[in-house]
Amino acid sequence: MRIIVVIAGFLLLFPLNGEAQKDKTKRPNIIFIMSDDHAYQAISAYNNTLIETPNIDRLAKEGMLFTNASVTNSICAPSRATILTGKHTHINGKIDNHFPFDTTQVTFPQIFKENGYKTAMFGKLHFGNNPKGVDEFMILPGQGNYINPDFIITNGDTIRKQGYVTDIITDVSLDWLKKEGSSDEPFMMMYLHKAPHRPWWPRADKFKEFTKKTFPEPATLFDDYKNRGTAAKTAEMNLLQHMMYSHDSKIRPETLAKMAGKVFPEVEEFPNGFYGPYNRATAEQKAAYEPILDSINDFFYENWPKMTDTEKMKWKYQRYMQDYLGSISSVDDNVGRLLDYLDESGLAENTIVIYTSDQGFYLGEHGWFDKRFIYDESFKTPLLVRWPEVVQPGSVENEMVQNLDFAQTMLEAAGIQPPNDMQGESLLPLLTGNKKDWTRDAVYYQYYEYPSVHMVKRHYGLVNKEFKLVHFYYDVDEWELYDRLKDPNEMNNVYHDPNYAATVNKLKKELIELRKYYKDTPEQDQKYIELYEKSGKL
């Protein structure tokens, strides 16, 4: 009933369907910006201790910043499928990076196109080479490449563009806006960055700049997981143990080969981990990287054998941050280019701009990199929304929202009624200051891809502003409870603490109801385990 009221309230601004066709200029344009693995901790509007992101911060100053935005499943392709469909991954089929997306699902770009919007998608989609409902696209095949990337274009051809991927995606997006943005028809453009996905290759100038920087270490860098369950102790995403020398830290295979038998029992990494990305560069491009690569490799060769494990962990953390944050710096620069064009062209006045990531990411917290867990650094995602004359500039919202909500929010903002089978909730009550119409107090999460890379166990859970209740299952049966207010770093599992017994009982009942609401069941958990077994992945 709440959603019907919200839609009715917006009919005055944006007429639905047929009426909207008569007066298209009143409907807002929408630009949906998404980066890949961009941790909220690496946006200065959230945290200014690691990097300054003045352009992304503009969206917070001129719009709304969400502090409790999260994902339903913290892994790339499933997150994108949820955003496109407005449905949990167990409904749209994309439970992990391997299982196929249900192509019968309707995506929100299709609905925009059917309702008179011009639609476009540029950058990283991650799955499927022919996005539905998009008039024009240029997408990276799979993960794509940072240097001289290939792209699949609207007619199905694959082309290669020379340059740095973040700049190229922005160039193409701006070209499309200049061509299509001035007409009377409203547009919806998805502007999707590859960065800062692993392996991190900053542009050469950023590589030079950021390797000179030193970054503060997180308080939990040397976490021993003593008050956590099996899942945290067995995950394979520790910076020291699992971050690769060539693939991640830019150590040349030749350097490792010289050290084999002395420092390393063998050269355990395939050369393509380094040369796959690097050999895409031209001789001129390589020349810009070489001096910094030389300095990194010389230091490693001379010092690594003498380092303690603590020193090695600290070194790997700094190398990680230098490349990861250097990649983000280019994203911020390019977001600035796009925002500047919107201002200069006058499009900003009637354009909703959304910035988010497909999930969060660990930046050394708990000694980790990557994502997958329901724990905050992975589960939470940045979300900033600018909508001139509608969203109060500089506003901050702490309600529990999810990527599940994005499709419905954009559709309703455009005056288009979402399909009844979408599972999210429109954020319009929060964006427009009508918080009394917001009813959700908890969100649902489920992660499936196990056993697999990083070995994060299957789990589901409920999260509200105060608590996080998690059930790890399949080869364990363990529950965890975190007090989000008293223990923001999630260091102490209080599930077995008698003082929290009443909270556990209450949240377990709520979790059962939440699973029913989202049409998830224990039988469905087992179904996906059996499908995984049949696929040969278990």
Side-chain angles (χ1 to χ4, degrees):
M1 191 68 181
R2 181 185 62 77
I3 292 176
I4 294 173
V5 171
V6 172
I7 293 173
F10 267 72
L11 284 174
L12 294 175
L13 286 177
F14 309 117
L16 287 176
N17 300 336
E19 285 300 312
Q21 299 296 321
K22 298 176 185 178
D23 194 357
K24 296 174 182 176
T25 59
K26 291 186 179 180
R27 295 191 292 170
N29 305 310
I30 298 173
I31 297 179
F32 180 79
I33 310 173
M34 184 165 67
S35 297
D36 194 308
D37 293 342
H38 191 172
Y40 63 90
Q41 313 94 285
I43 294 176
S44 47
Y46 287 94
N47 166 42
N48 64 2
T49 64
L50 289 174
I51 187 173
E52 291 295 327
T53 53
N55 296 298
I56 297 172
D57 290 0
R58 280 173 59 184
L59 297 175
K61 292 174 184 175
E62 299 168 5
M64 180 175 287
L65 179 145
F66 289 81
T67 62
N68 260 322
S70 65
V71 297
T72 64
N73 184 351
S74 185
I75 187 168
C76 298
S79 176
R80 292 157 191 272
T82 290
I83 290 168
L84 286 170
T85 62
K87 299 175 186 176
H88 275 274
T89 51
H90 63 271
I91 301 294
N92 65 48
K94 196 66 182 160
I95 60 166
D96 58 24
N97 279 339
H98 306 289
F99 275 85
F101 174 66
D102 177 2
T103 56
T104 67
Q105 295 286 329
V106 174
T107 64
F108 78 81
Q110 288 177 276
I111 302 172
F112 270 102
K113 185 173 180 178
E114 289 167 359
N115 283 271
Y117 269 71
K118 289 181 293 187
T119 57
M121 179 186 293
F122 305 114
K124 181 181 175 183
L125 175 61
H126 187 95
F127 68 93
N129 293 338
N130 188 19
K132 297 191 293 184
V134 179
D135 295 319
E136 188 172 341
F137 64 84
M138 190 184 81
I139 57 173
L140 296 160
Q143 295 289 1
N145 286 281
Y146 281 101
I147 302 171
N148 302 335
D150 295 331
F151 289 94
I152 301 166
I153 59 176
T154 313
N155 67 6
D157 290 344
T158 297
I159 61 173
R160 179 166 296 189
K161 285 185 169 284
Q162 187 165 320
Y164 189 68
V165 66
T166 309
D167 300 328
I168 294 168
I169 292 168
T170 306
D171 291 342
V172 174
S173 299
L174 286 172
D175 287 345
W176 188 85
L177 283 174
K178 291 170 183 176
K179 180 180 66 175
E180 301 290 348
S182 60
S183 72
D184 290 337
E185 291 178 301
F187 64 81
M188 189 286 298
M189 184 181 80
M190 300 184 75
Y191 168 51
L192 310 173
H193 285 295
K194 169 186 169 58
H197 194 278
R198 182 187 187 202
W200 310 281
W201 279 89
R203 201 175 60 199
D205 60 323
K206 301 288 186 181
F207 191 48
K208 181 178 180 180
E209 175 188 353
F210 276 77
T211 50
K212 296 177 181 178
K213 295 178 181 285
T214 301
F215 301 94
E217 297 168 0
T220 59
L221 181 62
F222 293 96
D223 192 352
D224 61 7
Y225 321 114
K226 67 179 180 180
N227 295 319
R228 259 62 50 76
T230 303
K233 295 168 184 172
T234 58
E236 297 179 357
M237 41 203 269
N238 181 270
L239 288 172
L240 179 60
Q241 298 172 9
H242 304 115
M243 184 165 274
M244 295 188 283
Y245 299 102
S246 292
H247 186 70
D248 298 316
S249 298
K250 309 296 185 294
I251 305 304
R252 296 186 180 104
E254 295 91 335
T255 304
L256 293 177
K258 286 193 297 183
M259 301 169 77
K262 299 177 182 178
V263 181
F264 306 101
E266 59 184 17
V267 180
E268 81 292 324
E269 292 193 57
F270 56 96
N272 203 44
F274 177 87
Y275 285 116
Y278 188 59
N279 278 350
R280 298 185 67 85
T282 64
E284 182 181 0
Q285 290 168 331
K286 286 180 180 179
Y289 283 100
E290 284 296 336
I292 306 303
L293 289 170
D294 287 344
S295 66
I296 292 168
N297 279 260
D298 290 347
F299 180 91
F300 184 83
Y301 184 80
E302 293 296 328
N303 292 280
W304 190 260
K306 300 177 285 189
M307 288 183 182
T308 65
D309 282 352
T310 297
E311 291 170 333
K312 290 176 179 178
M313 182 73 152
K314 289 172 175 281
W315 184 87
K316 277 197 167 184
Y317 168 75
Q318 294 298 333
R319 276 274 53 247
Y320 170 33
M321 287 298 93
Q322 289 162 358
D323 291 350
Y324 178 89
L325 296 172
S327 301
I328 285 173
S329 183
S330 286
V331 172
D332 186 69
D333 290 347
N334 279 280
V335 167
R337 290 175 61 202
L338 185 134
L339 295 180
D340 287 347
Y341 175 74
L342 293 179
D343 289 344
E344 293 161 5
S345 65
L347 286 172
E349 296 174 10
N350 193 37
T351 299
I352 302 170
V353 180
I354 300 167
Y355 186 91
T356 191
S357 173
D358 53 355
Q359 62 261 323
F361 214 67
Y362 288 102
L363 304 185
E365 299 90 357
H366 307 289
W368 288 335
F369 64 101
D370 207 71
K371 58 255 184 181
R372 301 166 196 267
F373 274 116
I374 196 174
Y375 307 138
D376 267 8
E377 292 84 2
S378 164
F379 163 77
K380 288 175 64 174
T381 190
L383 178 60
L384 305 94
V385 181
R386 185 181 76 178
W387 190 356
E389 306 301 325
V390 176
V391 173
Q392 181 69 31
S395 51
V396 177
E397 182 53 71
N398 70 342
E399 292 296 334
M400 302 299 301
V401 305
Q402 281 192 302
N403 59 351
L404 185 70
D405 305 325
F406 296 168
Q408 281 168 266
T409 301
M410 288 185 277
L411 289 169
E412 290 190 12
I416 303 168
Q417 185 158 1
N420 291 331
D421 61 350
M422 281 187 171
Q423 294 182 301
E425 298 193 33
S426 169
L427 304 181
L428 291 188
L430 304 178
L431 292 169
T432 60
N434 296 308
K435 199 166 179 174
K436 66 183 185 302
D437 294 324
W438 181 258
T439 59
R440 178 198 287 155
D441 59 8
V443 296
Y444 179 61
Y445 181 91
Q446 169 94 274
Y447 175 79
Y448 298 88
E449 193 173 298
Y450 174 86
S452 187
V453 61
H454 298 303
M455 296 300 284
V456 172
K457 293 185 182 295
R458 293 172 183 246
H459 59 290
Y460 60 83
L462 173 153
V463 186
N464 62 31
K465 292 179 188 176
E466 297 179 87
F467 297 104
K468 182 175 294 182
L469 179 69
V470 192
H471 182 209
F472 289 92
Y473 68 96
Y474 173 60
D475 59 355
V476 292
D477 183 8
E478 295 181 1
W479 289 83
E480 296 180 3
L481 176 70
Y482 294 93
D483 188 322
R484 300 186 74 204
L485 301 181
K486 294 181 179 178
D487 180 24
N489 289 331
E490 299 173 320
M491 298 292 282
N492 297 293
N493 173 19
V494 293
Y495 179 81
H496 298 290
D497 186 332
N499 294 318
Y500 288 89
T503 299
V504 167
N505 289 335
K506 177 177 179 291
L507 292 179
K508 275 194 167 182
K509 292 176 183 176
E510 291 179 7
L511 178 56
I512 290 171
E513 290 305 310
L514 205 56
R515 276 166 65 82
K516 287 180 181 177
Y517 179 78
Y518 288 119
K519 301 178 182 177
D520 203 8
T521 64
E523 291 76 19
Q524 187 128 279
D525 298 339
Q526 185 59 35
K527 179 189 83 170
Y528 282 121
I529 289 171
E530 291 172 0
L531 287 173
Y532 212 65
E533 289 173 342
K534 289 177 182 176
S535 73
K537 298 183 186 303
L538 286 181

